Amino acid sequence: MHPLTPLLRGGLFLLVVAGIIIANLRERLVEWLLPAFAPEFSEGELPPDPIDYLVSRNLILIALLAVLGTVVVLLLVFSLSWRFHTFRITDDDVEVRSGVLFRTHRRAPLDRVQGVNLTRPLVARLLGVGKLEVVGAGTDSNVKLEYLSTSNAETIRADILRLASGRRLGGSAAARSAGTRVRQAASAVGAGLTGLVDGDDQGDVEPESVVHIPAGRLIASRLLSGTTLVLIALIAAIVVGSIVGSVWVLFSFVPAVLGFGAYYVRSVTRALRYSIAPMPSGTRITFGLFTTVSETLPPGRVHAVEVRQSIFWRPFGWWSITVNRLSGRSASDTNADQFTTVLPVGTRADVERVLKLLLPALPDEDWPFVFDQGILGPRADDPYATTPARARLLRPLSWRRNGYLLTPDALFLRRGFIWRALGVFPLARMQSVGIAQGPIDRMLGVANLTAHVVAGSVTTTVGILERDDALRGFQDAADGIVAASAGDRSHRWASSEPDQTPAGEPLLEPVSAPADLAAPPADTVAPPAEPVDAPDRTPR
């Protein structure tokens, strides 16, 4: 790891807290810690200032030696922590070991990698370092490499994604770990000192984004939201309460108003410097003004995509895109939501470009079902199965829009009138499909259809469908999931491509790849020897 890792992981915070305590309580600290050197403290006679006391008693040398001893102890603790914090990358796992007294060992299987994120807080960016997070497939399963120099983090991220894709590291990797551990440590220290002096931020060199969001549009989109309505209602309640009640009511709502203000600032700063671009290993998404996060989504890791538009955005033609994906974070992690929004606000052209990055396997003949018939629908000859007229009371505004469409590749769920939404669910990523019917639904002859995918912000249910349409969609979706899953190879998306060793000096030690990385398993079903007919792409 980077030699500044212990300081950035907690030492800097401890130093700041210690400085605040010493600055505010230094008289009491001298009274508690130096009674032997200052007997008059026990009598309640404190000097005007401990610094003046040290100068007047010629104790400057002792004080400097005490400070030096404290610094030496801290450096020793930091060096031990850095020495025992190691990682390695094999053909199968990313492993991290840390701890001196209490050892921790974590692994992330490469064939379950859902993404690799590079996070650079403000202080870390000034020092030219960042933390790499390998996103796992379970709850609280992420493996963090914190901290690495930015150049090393970019190279290691490329190596992890290359091994996860099914490729092997090239033969030039033989020079990756030349020398002893002492020489490697000296090289890391040298790189760390160089980054400390230069403040190198090489992570800002990102591929060209396919979407550019003006700051004015971003701020306006946050103001034109449901949160603003809640804030206006809160302000109205404050004004009415202060008129009919006591003026002190104003002070009870101040924390809530400050909370709304913090939400607006945080949501805008997180979305600034947004970019999304195609990469050989997937899709690169970068966002954040102060703390910059750069995440790479490998192919096949997006389980659901939803395009949304509120009625406030409709005059401007703005939409947002959210996804369901495995984040590897615990349910209590408040930062998990920031990885679900892949387009904060964009025009139709922006939405189409982002969808083509997130759904590269969607065939060209399915794209009219996304915008023309989906988001902007219904149109003439609507292919979606919708709510019948007899049940319009359950969907008074959106009964013509509310519906689903199934193709051999994806399930489309269209809903909403005031808040329009279209969910796209690749069949290869769906776990199952469900159908439900309550007592009122049975009276009206309607049912609800649900796509079962990983949990997230995307709505996975469309309700009040014609019963026969829902049953047909249930059966056809179940068959389509089996067929799509059988032909899915996205977990090793580059196993059949030739090896390409990245440019630049490699960092990792060469390892021998097992046979299953270069060839499919023995029990894999072989493709038929004779040509077969193309699948029927008629939407159902």
Side-chain angles (χ1 to χ4, degrees):
M1 300 295 180
H2 195 279
L4 294 178
T5 293
L7 185 64
L8 293 171
R9 291 189 65 186
L12 184 61
F13 174 77
L14 294 177
L15 291 178
V16 171
V17 172
I20 294 175
I21 294 176
I22 293 174
N24 291 275
L25 301 175
R26 55 185 185 180
E27 291 88 354
R28 293 299 177 184
L29 289 175
V30 172
E31 179 184 359
W32 295 335
L33 300 177
L34 300 177
F37 298 97
E40 63 271 22
F41 285 176
S42 59
E43 301 175 1
E45 299 178 0
L46 294 177
D49 188 88
I51 303 299
D52 295 339
Y53 176 81
L54 294 176
V55 173
S56 62
R57 297 299 180 93
N58 294 323
L59 298 176
I60 297 297
L61 182 59
I62 296 177
L64 292 178
L65 290 177
V67 172
L68 180 61
T70 304
V71 172
V72 170
V73 171
L74 289 176
L75 290 177
L76 180 61
V77 172
F78 286 171
S79 63
L80 285 176
S81 176
W82 175 69
R83 170 64 178 79
F84 283 90
H85 193 182
T86 60
F87 75 96
R88 70 173 181 174
I89 301 174
T90 68
D91 280 351
D92 301 312
D93 307 281
V94 178
E95 304 179 33
V96 178
R97 298 180 181 181
S98 61
V100 180
L101 298 178
F102 301 94
R103 299 286 288 162
T104 301
H105 185 191
R106 302 204 66 174
R107 284 185 177 182
L110 288 174
D111 59 351
R112 295 294 183 266
V113 170
Q114 304 298 311
V116 183
N117 304 333
L118 175 59
T119 303
R120 290 170 292 148
L122 181 60
V123 176
R125 287 173 58 193
L126 295 176
L127 300 177
V129 299
K131 50 185 176 181
L132 207 63
E133 185 175 15
V134 183
V135 180
T139 302
D140 196 20
S141 61
N142 293 0
V143 172
K144 299 179 181 180
L145 309 179
E146 49 182 359
Y147 286 80
L148 301 167
S149 65
T150 306
S151 58
N152 289 358
E154 290 287 357
T155 305
I156 292 172
R157 172 162 63 176
D159 286 339
I160 293 174
L161 292 171
R162 185 171 298 103
L163 288 171
S165 70
R167 295 177 182 172
R168 297 174 57 183
L169 296 182
S172 61
R176 294 188 171 212
S177 295
T180 63
R181 181 181 296 271
V182 175
R183 181 177 298 178
Q184 297 175 28
S187 176
V189 173
L193 294 177
T194 302
L196 178 62
V197 174
D198 297 339
D200 189 17
D201 194 5
Q202 300 180 17
D204 287 336
V205 182
E206 294 284 348
E208 182 66 23
S209 175
V210 300
V211 173
H212 298 279
I213 303 177
R217 181 200 300 171
L218 180 62
I219 296 174
S221 68
R222 293 299 177 264
L223 295 177
L224 297 174
S225 63
T227 305
T228 302
L229 294 180
V230 176
L231 179 60
I232 293 175
L234 180 61
I235 294 176
I238 294 174
V239 173
V240 173
S242 62
I243 293 175
V244 302
S246 174
V247 180
W248 296 103
V249 175
L250 296 173
F251 295 96
S252 63
F253 287 96
V254 168
V257 175
L258 293 178
F260 276 100
Y263 165 78
Y264 281 117
V265 173
R266 184 170 61 253
S267 61
V268 170
T269 55
R270 281 181 177 178
L272 288 175
R273 296 185 66 190
Y274 166 86
S275 69
I276 181 169
M279 299 286 291
S281 54
T283 303
R284 177 73 60 85
I285 304 174
T286 304
F287 55 90
L289 179 62
F290 302 113
T291 297
T292 302
V293 179
S294 176
E295 59 173 335
T296 301
L297 285 177
R301 267 56 176 183
V302 176
H303 295 254
V305 181
E306 187 173 62
V307 183
R308 298 173 179 171
Q309 183 191 57
S310 71
I311 195 171
F312 306 109
W313 291 7
R314 200 164 301 169
F316 307 97
W318 296 342
W319 288 269
S320 66
I321 298 179
T322 57
V323 299
N324 279 11
R325 51 165 295 201
L326 291 171
S327 64
R329 297 172 178 266
S330 61
S332 59
D333 193 341
T334 58
N335 293 324
D337 292 339
Q338 65 181 337
F339 295 100
T340 63
T341 302
V342 295
L343 180 63
V345 57
T347 62
R348 172 173 177 171
D350 297 335
V351 171
E352 290 177 344
R353 284 192 288 265
V354 173
L355 288 179
K356 288 184 181 295
L357 292 180
L358 299 177
L359 302 171
L362 198 66
D364 295 337
E365 54 265 30
D366 287 357
W367 283 106
F369 306 138
V370 175
F371 243 102
D372 297 333
Q373 299 287 356
I375 300 174
L376 300 177
R379 300 288 178 86
D381 300 327
D382 185 19
Y384 282 74
T386 59
T387 299
R390 64 178 180 274
R392 68 174 66 182
L393 291 178
L394 299 179
R395 295 290 188 273
L397 298 178
S398 62
W399 68 277
R400 293 183 183 274
R401 277 185 47 83
N402 191 66
Y404 83 93
L405 174 67
L406 181 66
T407 70
D409 301 283
L411 174 65
F412 300 86
L413 301 184
R414 187 182 67 188
R415 59 183 178 82
F417 175 78
I418 298 177
W419 279 272
R420 290 178 175 177
L422 176 70
V424 184
F425 303 84
L427 294 183
R429 305 270 73 82
M430 287 176 57
Q431 304 300 306
S432 63
V433 61
I435 188 171
Q437 191 181 48
I440 298 178
D441 297 334
R442 287 194 293 271
M443 293 173 53
L444 297 175
V446 295
N448 309 314
L449 190 66
T450 301
H452 295 157
V453 294
V454 300
S457 60
V458 176
T459 302
T460 60
T461 299
V462 60
I464 320 302
L465 299 173
E466 181 71 49
R467 176 183 176 274
D468 294 338
D469 291 340
L471 286 172
R472 184 171 59 254
F474 172 79
Q475 184 60 53
D476 292 344
D479 297 338
I481 291 171
V482 175
S485 301
D488 180 51
R489 295 294 180 270
S490 60
H491 62 291
R492 291 293 193 185
W493 66 91
S495 58
S496 60
E497 298 181 8
D499 180 37
Q500 298 176 3
T501 303
E505 184 176 352
L507 296 173
L508 302 178
E509 191 171 0
V511 290
S512 57
D516 61 346
L517 295 183
D523 58 350
T524 301
V525 178
E530 297 181 0
V532 296
D533 296 334
D536 181 16
R537 310 200 69 84
T538 304
R540 296 187 290 270

